[in-house]
Amino acid sequence: MEEINKYVKDDEDIAYEYELQKSPDDIQAWVHYLDRWKEQNKNGQKSNEGVLWLFRRYVNQFINNVDVWFVFITWMCDSYPRMNYMDISTLYNEGIENCGIKSEKLCLKYLKFAIEKNDLALIRQAFDISLSSLSKNLHYKLWEQLLIYIRDTVIPLIKTADQGEKSQADQFSDLIRNILKVDNETSNTDEDPTYRVNIWVSAFLERYLIVCPKDEVVDTLLLLGGTNDTNRIKTLFEKYLLKGNDFKNKSEVKDIPYSLNIVYLNALYELNESSRCQKFIDVLNELYSFNHTPLALITGKYFMKNGKFDELESHLDQLLINTTTVDDFGKVSKFHTDFEVALIECCLKVIDDSGEQEELSKLLEVHLAKLGNLTKHHDIQLNDLYLRKNPNNVRTWSERVNLKKSLKQKSDVYTNGILTVDPLKVKEPGALGKFWSNYAQLYWRNNDLDSAREIFEKALNVPFPYMKDLEIIWMTWIENELRINNVDRVFTLLREALKIPENAIALLEQYENPQNKVPTKFIMFHSLKLWVFYLDLIESRRFDVDFKGSESYRENVEIYENMIRLNVITPLLYVTYAKLARKFDDIRKSFQIYNRAISSFPPEIKFDIWLLYLKDALKSRLPVEQIRDLFNEALSQLVPHDIDCISIYLLNNEYEEGLSGVTEVTISKLIKSAKELSGKYIESKLKLWDLALEKTKSHFGLEMARPLYEDCITIIPRDKSPEYIVSFAKLEATVGEIVRAREILQYGAQLVPPVRNELLWNYWEQLEISNGDKERYKDMLKLKKKLEEEMKVDTEEVSQETGNIEFVAAKKIDIRRSAPRESNPNEIDLDL
């Protein structure tokens, strides 16, 4: 009665109280009453204590109603945010106990609340009371919520803690200290928070395995593997997967995911179950041979944990020899190094702490030497790995040579490489030939020339698939002989290498036929590199005072002719051959060589040959008609193939002007050249037009240039025309033809949009300012505005067009002219 007087204040509250007295089980009346008080609470008219008093009466009235408890606890959490969460937990427990089997909604909210607080004890309490209250068909909802928390929150935290604890080297140190009885300052496992979390998770997962569907067993065991609770991992793995068969049924083991097998194997290792661990490793090695290294390292940890250091050393040495990937090699090498370092550090600590111990000193000495060898031989062992992967990789053999110090060691590597590598499996042209050459060079540099020559001889008989290999061997040997001035042997070697057999062409055809392969050594006469070297050598002998020039020339000619016959000669060598003939005053032969070259190559290459040919012909003072025939022949061969012949055109113009000066004929030729040159070479065409216009104006006056301008501006692309239009207009203005200049500008204005035609419009503006009047100036501006609106499309394609607007040439030179014809509004009559 006292509380009613305290909290019930107004008539409406009293009315609600009478209603509740009359119908205490009317839940809607309670809800409306509570809603009124909660609203007043927000406005400050009611205190939290008053609302809580009414809520308590409401809950007591409907003590078994889960919705009532749900609303009450939700309000408590919202209204008392600083309330101890264990007090909220008490409310949940009270509500679940009163609601019993109908408390699903409350149970799920309670478990979620406990998970949000991240309190493992509270989570277990919420889970247990919920599990006991709900029917079995609802248990999956609780497990689903809990497993999400374990998988997404707890397991990642455990893994992060494990990764941050100790490196592999530190773990090895702990193992070895236990074996050597070194004081090891480690925390009590039972007090380790991570250990407690592991046990908490593994206990829940063990319970879940009892009820989980069969298809979730593997995933649950994988989660269990993240807890590091080795006893449970071993027990539950054997219970649910192996079913106590002791690995006899290997197909069952194979059906288990590899990662889960490794979890179980690590558990056996941690529990030091040596016999079972080794049996399981043997089974896994048989089933997962491709993943041998991780299994072998677990075996290594087992040897280490049991103090079997000698067995561990042998095991790791063998493992390094058998690795086939760089990644595996790196793991084994690091494992071995970390073990040696940890063992050495522990031995030193024991000796420092307890004085000199003979047995430990010997152990320390052995492993110091082992660590030194590991470091020293790391590179050679890695090279071993690369050679195991691909014994035909010549680069790897060359790297191995560089790892050796003495002549004998290097020679042994070369010998082993040559015996191992299959020449037909070497993919890189020249690699094996270089390897053989380096082998011979090893002896040559040590002045054992006979041994080096013997190696070169053997190398030339190897069935190399690529000519480049034999070229390297021949060139290395020849250059070596040349350095010691053994010229006679050099020529002997070159003649031997380039000896042309009688059936040379047939041999080449056979060599190029994959079905009837000829060994490369039989077609060395087709090596351009050796022929060029031979030529250079002959050329250098001409400077020898005891060597006759004519003899050198004859030998050169023979070499060039052989190269032509074998079709190995290049355009540049043809030119060199022609110049050589010219040097010995054999002009006719020089021209014949040029003609042979021109007939041997496509138009793109012919152009350069023709240009050199024509220049040499001009120096030779041949008859004019013969020179002109050469120019005509050159152009007839090149122009139809769209070759840029401007250099030949200019050379021809220079020659003609040298004969008779600048004439109408020479200018006509320039114009003809500009017209017939391919449109692809617009800059060259414009250069020819510029030259023709310049020479016309300078030699024949401005008026004679008019028809050239008229011709030019109707042919060249529109985007290039403004410069010529302005130049044409300036010409007319210079001779006082202002109206004519204005009409030319009007024509040019319609070719290119104003935005891209500033040169023309700027000049036109100056022209009107200087020579026009206000009306003319306004007409110009109107036209410009009109064109800006009409010519908005401005593409590269349109700008390259050469004339949609017809240019009407002048009829006479006069300032009077007829009006533009009505029939074509786009046509401008520039009648002079």
Side-chain angles (χ1 to χ4, degrees):
M1 192 68 181
E2 185 177 327
E3 289 177 328
I4 290 179
N5 292 332
K6 181 178 179 181
Y7 297 120
V8 178
K9 299 291 186 182
D10 54 32
D11 292 343
E12 195 167 345
D13 287 347
I14 293 171
Y16 271 113
E17 288 292 339
Y18 275 122
E19 180 68 23
L20 295 179
Q21 289 288 334
K22 181 181 176 183
S23 305
D25 295 329
D26 185 353
I27 196 165
Q28 288 301 320
W30 282 97
V31 170
H32 292 152
Y33 194 13
L34 271 168
D35 287 345
R36 181 172 185 273
W37 277 41
K38 284 191 283 185
E39 189 62 34
Q40 288 178 329
N41 176 251
K42 290 179 183 178
N43 299 330
Q45 296 173 328
K46 296 287 186 185
S47 64
N48 279 352
E49 289 78 7
V51 180
L52 177 60
W53 171 75
L54 184 58
F55 249 123
R56 276 295 185 187
R57 291 171 58 200
Y58 176 46
V59 170
N60 289 333
Q61 183 64 36
F62 303 100
I63 195 73
N64 301 122
N65 190 315
V66 67
D67 293 323
V68 171
W69 278 101
F70 190 88
V71 172
F72 172 48
I73 295 173
T74 301
W75 179 83
M76 287 292 293
C77 292
D78 294 340
S79 301
Y80 294 94
R82 296 185 180 179
M83 185 177 182
N84 189 310
Y85 70 85
M86 293 307 295
D87 293 334
I88 298 291
S89 169
T90 302
L91 292 176
Y92 274 116
N93 286 327
E94 187 181 347
I96 291 170
E97 287 173 2
N98 283 295
C99 295
I101 199 170
K102 298 179 180 180
S103 59
E104 175 191 348
K105 188 176 182 181
L106 210 55
C107 290
L108 293 174
K109 186 172 177 64
Y110 185 18
L111 183 57
K112 182 180 178 183
F113 170 79
I115 287 172
E116 288 172 351
K117 298 305 175 185
N118 212 26
D119 184 326
L120 300 184
L122 180 60
I123 293 171
R124 184 166 194 142
Q125 177 183 315
F127 186 81
D128 286 345
I129 191 173
S130 299
L131 208 62
S132 61
S133 300
L134 297 180
S135 60
K136 286 185 178 181
N137 65 319
L138 295 176
H139 286 182
Y140 77 94
K141 294 186 177 181
L142 298 171
W143 280 113
E144 188 178 70
Q145 201 166 329
L146 182 63
L147 289 171
I148 290 172
Y149 170 67
I150 289 173
R151 185 187 65 240
D152 296 346
T153 304
V154 183
I155 296 295
L157 287 174
I158 293 172
K159 289 180 178 178
T160 302
D162 289 344
Q163 290 168 359
E165 280 178 1
K166 290 183 179 179
S167 65
Q168 177 176 266
D170 291 336
Q171 293 173 25
F172 290 176
S173 292
D174 289 345
L175 286 173
I176 295 168
R177 283 175 179 174
N178 288 331
I179 294 165
L180 299 181
K181 310 299 181 187
V182 182
D183 290 338
N184 195 4
E185 297 178 3
T186 56
S187 60
N188 190 333
T189 305
D190 294 335
E191 297 174 0
D192 181 5
T194 304
Y195 174 76
R196 292 200 300 273
V197 174
N198 284 337
I199 297 302
W200 183 90
V201 174
S202 63
F204 265 117
L205 294 176
E206 183 178 19
R207 290 171 61 185
Y208 181 62
L209 282 166
I210 297 171
V211 298
C212 78
K214 287 184 178 181
D215 60 353
E216 292 184 21
V217 170
V218 169
D219 289 338
T220 306
L221 286 171
L222 280 171
L223 277 178
L224 182 66
T227 67
N228 300 320
D229 184 354
T230 51
N231 283 305
R232 272 202 178 96
I233 291 170
K234 174 184 177 299
T235 301
L236 296 176
F237 188 101
E238 292 171 354
K239 178 179 179 181
Y240 290 99
L241 294 181
L242 294 179
K243 299 181 174 58
N245 69 13
D246 202 23
F247 322 134
K248 291 177 182 176
N249 189 346
K250 292 178 183 176
S251 62
E252 286 189 4
V253 177
K254 190 173 184 179
D255 290 339
I256 301 168
Y258 175 78
S259 56
L260 193 52
N261 280 320
I262 294 300
V263 167
Y264 176 61
L265 182 59
N266 275 313
L268 295 177
Y269 156 73
E270 293 292 342
L271 296 170
N272 208 22
E273 294 201 10
S274 55
S275 174
R276 193 167 181 81
C277 183
Q278 193 55 54
K279 278 184 183 178
F280 197 54
I281 286 174
D282 292 341
V283 172
L284 294 183
N285 274 328
E286 187 176 336
L287 295 175
Y288 302 104
S289 57
F290 59 89
N291 253 334
H292 172 70
T293 300
L295 300 173
L297 291 180
I298 293 174
T299 304
K301 287 182 182 178
Y302 162 74
F303 287 139
M304 192 189 311
K305 188 169 186 175
N306 289 277
K308 299 178 178 180
F309 297 150
D310 291 340
E311 291 180 50
L312 174 59
E313 290 283 3
S314 300
H315 178 70
L316 293 175
D317 287 342
Q318 193 62 36
L319 202 54
L320 274 176
I321 293 172
N322 294 328
T323 51
T324 56
T325 69
V326 176
D327 185 52
D328 284 349
F329 179 86
K331 288 176 182 177
V332 176
S333 181
K334 187 176 187 312
F335 187 103
H336 203 166
T337 303
D338 287 347
F339 161 69
E340 298 296 347
V341 170
L343 182 57
I344 289 167
E345 288 177 350
C346 290
C347 287
L348 288 171
K349 182 166 179 58
V350 171
I351 292 171
D352 287 345
D353 292 346
S354 57
E356 182 68 31
Q357 294 185 19
E358 185 177 349
E359 188 176 342
L360 275 181
S361 296
K362 289 180 180 179
L363 185 65
L364 179 62
E365 184 179 345
V366 169
H367 287 279
L368 279 170
K370 187 66 180 178
L371 181 60
N373 282 331
L374 274 177
T375 306
K376 181 179 178 182
H377 296 134
H378 177 273
D379 290 341
I380 200 74
Q381 288 176 327
L382 185 59
N383 186 268
D384 285 336
L385 164 65
Y386 288 129
L387 289 177
R388 283 197 296 276
K389 289 179 69 176
N390 183 7
N392 296 303
N393 190 324
V394 180
R395 286 182 180 272
T396 307
W397 283 104
S398 298
E399 289 167 3
R400 191 175 187 85
V401 172
N402 295 330
L403 294 174
K404 300 297 183 179
K405 301 298 182 184
S406 68
L407 176 66
K408 174 68 168 60
Q409 290 174 328
K410 289 177 182 289
S411 178
D412 288 344
V413 174
Y414 279 119
T415 303
N416 290 333
I418 286 164
L419 292 173
T420 303
V421 174
D422 181 350
L424 299 179
K425 292 182 180 178
V426 178
K427 303 301 181 185
E428 183 183 353
L432 188 55
K434 182 69 174 173
F435 190 72
W436 270 97
S437 296
N438 289 341
Y439 182 23
Q441 291 290 78
L442 182 69
Y443 287 94
W444 194 280
R445 292 192 192 100
N446 285 275
N447 294 319
D448 189 351
L449 305 189
D450 290 338
S451 296
R453 288 177 180 131
E454 185 180 345
I455 293 169
F456 280 126
E457 288 282 3
K458 289 180 179 178
L460 293 174
N461 291 310
V462 174
F464 296 105
Y466 307 108
M467 183 181 288
K468 187 175 180 180
D469 294 279
L470 284 167
E471 286 178 336
I472 289 171
I473 294 166
W474 278 110
M475 289 299 298
T476 306
W477 189 1
I478 290 166
E479 286 170 354
N480 282 348
E481 299 290 356
L482 202 55
R483 288 190 192 97
I484 61 173
N485 207 26
N486 195 348
V487 179
D488 290 339
R489 185 183 283 270
V490 167
F491 278 99
T492 300
L493 290 173
L494 279 169
R495 290 184 184 114
E496 180 185 347
L498 296 171
K499 184 178 179 181
I500 303 173
E502 292 181 3
N503 58 340
I505 304 302
L507 267 176
L508 286 172
E509 291 174 356
Q510 213 172 345
Y511 177 75
E512 291 169 0
N513 184 352
Q515 273 73 39
N516 195 10
K517 192 72 172 175
V518 172
T520 306
K521 67 177 182 177
F522 293 127
I523 52 98
M524 282 312 295
F525 60 85
H526 204 248
S527 168
L528 175 62
K529 189 170 187 176
L530 290 178
W531 280 113
V532 171
F533 187 83
Y534 194 5
L535 276 172
D536 291 341
L537 201 61
I538 297 294
E539 184 70 17
S540 67
R541 293 181 72 192
R542 290 199 298 110
F543 298 100
D544 188 338
V545 294
D546 297 326
F547 192 80
K548 294 180 181 179
S550 58
E551 185 180 343
S552 169
Y553 175 56
R554 283 194 301 274
E555 196 165 358
N556 268 284
V557 168
E558 184 182 349
I559 293 172
Y560 279 118
E561 290 298 329
N562 283 333
M563 293 176 74
I564 293 171
R565 182 159 64 93
L566 295 169
N567 200 25
V568 294
I569 194 165
T570 64
L572 182 60
L573 286 173
Y574 260 119
V575 173
T576 308
Y577 185 19
K579 290 187 177 296
L580 178 69
R582 182 181 179 82
K583 191 178 293 183
F584 282 86
D585 296 324
D586 198 344
I587 306 298
R588 184 179 177 184
K589 185 174 182 65
S590 175
F591 290 165
Q592 288 174 346
I593 294 166
Y594 274 122
N595 283 316
R596 291 166 75 187
I598 288 166
S599 64
S600 301
F601 298 103
E604 295 79 9
I605 298 173
K606 282 182 183 180
F607 168 76
D608 293 313
I609 300 172
W610 265 116
L611 192 58
L612 294 168
Y613 183 11
L614 291 167
K615 287 179 179 179
D616 275 0
L618 291 175
K619 293 175 186 175
S620 303
R621 301 189 180 185
L622 295 174
V624 173
E625 290 307 317
Q626 190 174 346
I627 294 291
R628 285 175 176 165
D629 287 344
L630 283 176
F631 274 111
N632 290 334
E633 186 180 354
L635 293 170
S636 66
Q637 289 187 20
L638 299 172
V639 171
H641 293 282
D642 285 349
I643 306 297
D644 186 359
C645 298
I646 187 170
S647 301
I648 295 177
Y649 286 133
L650 294 176
L651 188 64
N652 191 9
N653 178 256
E654 183 182 341
Y655 173 71
E656 294 292 347
E657 288 181 357
L659 293 174
S660 55
V662 178
T663 66
E664 290 185 16
V665 174
T666 60
I667 291 175
S668 297
K669 279 194 171 184
L670 282 173
I671 295 169
K672 180 176 179 290
S673 303
K675 290 180 178 179
E676 72 181 15
L677 191 62
S678 171
K680 292 194 299 184
Y681 309 109
I682 185 61
E683 296 302 326
S684 295
K685 288 176 77 76
L686 294 178
K687 190 172 181 179
L688 292 169
W689 276 113
D690 290 341
L691 191 60
L693 288 165
E694 180 188 344
K695 289 182 181 292
T696 301
K697 287 188 285 187
S698 62
H699 288 78
F700 300 102
L702 299 180
E703 292 181 0
M704 290 295 292
R706 278 175 172 159
L708 269 68
Y709 271 114
E710 292 171 358
D711 212 3
C712 174
I713 62 178
T714 58
I715 291 175
I716 63 175
R718 291 184 182 187
D719 65 334
K720 302 295 182 182
S721 64
E723 181 182 346
Y724 294 87
I725 296 289
V726 171
S727 179
F728 190 7
K730 284 181 179 179
L731 182 150
E732 296 294 351
T734 301
V735 298
E737 290 286 341
I738 303 301
V739 176
R740 173 71 173 161
R742 187 179 291 118
E743 290 175 343
I744 292 168
L745 291 170
Q746 185 177 358
Y747 167 80
Q750 299 177 73
L751 298 178
V752 183
V755 70
R756 294 182 56 202
N757 207 357
E758 290 185 9
L759 178 68
L760 182 145
W761 289 104
N762 289 340
Y763 173 71
W764 195 349
E765 184 178 11
Q766 292 301 318
L767 180 73
E768 298 298 354
I769 291 171
S770 302
N771 301 283
D773 53 27
K774 186 176 181 181
E775 291 302 317
R776 293 291 187 186
Y777 191 82
K778 286 172 68 177
D779 289 343
M780 178 198 71
L781 293 178
K782 286 178 182 177
L783 177 61
K784 184 176 182 182
K785 186 174 181 181
K786 177 188 175 186
L787 292 175
E788 283 175 340
E789 292 175 354
E790 293 177 351
M791 304 180 73
K792 289 181 179 178
V793 177
D794 179 24
T795 65
E796 186 64 22
E797 183 179 350
V798 172
S799 70
Q800 294 297 328
E801 291 178 2
T802 55
N804 288 334
I805 299 173
E806 183 179 346
F807 184 86
V808 180
K811 299 286 192 304
K812 58 183 178 178
I813 304 172
D814 194 352
I815 61 172
R816 297 182 299 276
R817 58 193 53 79
S818 60
R821 288 174 291 174
E822 297 290 336
S823 60
N824 185 1
N826 289 326
E827 183 178 325
I828 300 172
D829 185 1
L830 298 181
D831 185 8
L832 297 178

